[in-house]
Amino acid sequence: MSIDFRNAFVESLPFPGGQFDVVLSTLMLHHLPGKLRNQCASEVRRVLKQGGRVLAIDFGRSPGEQGIVAHFHRHGHISLAEMSAIFSESDFNIAQSGPVGIGDIDYVLAIAPYCESSVPISSANRRYESI
């Protein structure tokens, strides 16, 4: 298996559409303002192949932050609901989401849908019809 890692600015990825099987976003979304988060998800959706996956991991919002992660990280969070909504609004199907199990870090695994055929089905090819 060959793996090719690439880095780029998320707001305008310099890659043709439908080129990647997987996109990984780690502890980055919380740095982006709201509008740019949506642009990020749209760009990720554009460069993923049909059925491609995005795994986003980031700092969630937890009441009464405590612990080593909270001590060193004080400048931003994104709730699990917000992460899920961002990818859902960009035409992803949310496959899994939840806490990672370390501090307040959450994850969302989303899948780019397969396109439906644009070829019309003629009545001669239909096997079932509603009555």
Side-chain angles (χ1 to χ4, degrees), residues 49-76:
K49 295 177 182 177
Q50 294 176 18
R53 295 166 291 170
V54 58
L55 175 61
I57 301 167
D58 219 309
F59 294 102
R61 294 183 189 194
S62 61
E65 294 177 8
Q66 305 211 355
I68 192 76
V69 173
H71 176 74
F72 288 107
H73 191 268
R74 297 178 184 268
H75 65 278

Side-chain angles (χ1 to χ4, degrees), residues 66-87:
Q66 305 211 355
I68 192 76
V69 173
H71 176 74
F72 288 107
H73 191 268
R74 297 178 184 268
H75 65 278
H77 297 85
I78 181 169
S79 73
L80 183 56
E82 288 174 297
M83 271 200 299
S84 295
I86 287 166
F87 289 103

Side-chain angles (χ1 to χ4, degrees), residues 16-37:
Q19 295 296 304
F20 296 95
D21 296 306
V22 177
V23 170
L24 177 62
S25 170
T26 55
L27 306 176
M28 181 276 293
L29 285 172
H30 71 275
H31 289 287
L32 303 176
K35 186 177 180 180
L36 196 53
R37 290 175 181 174

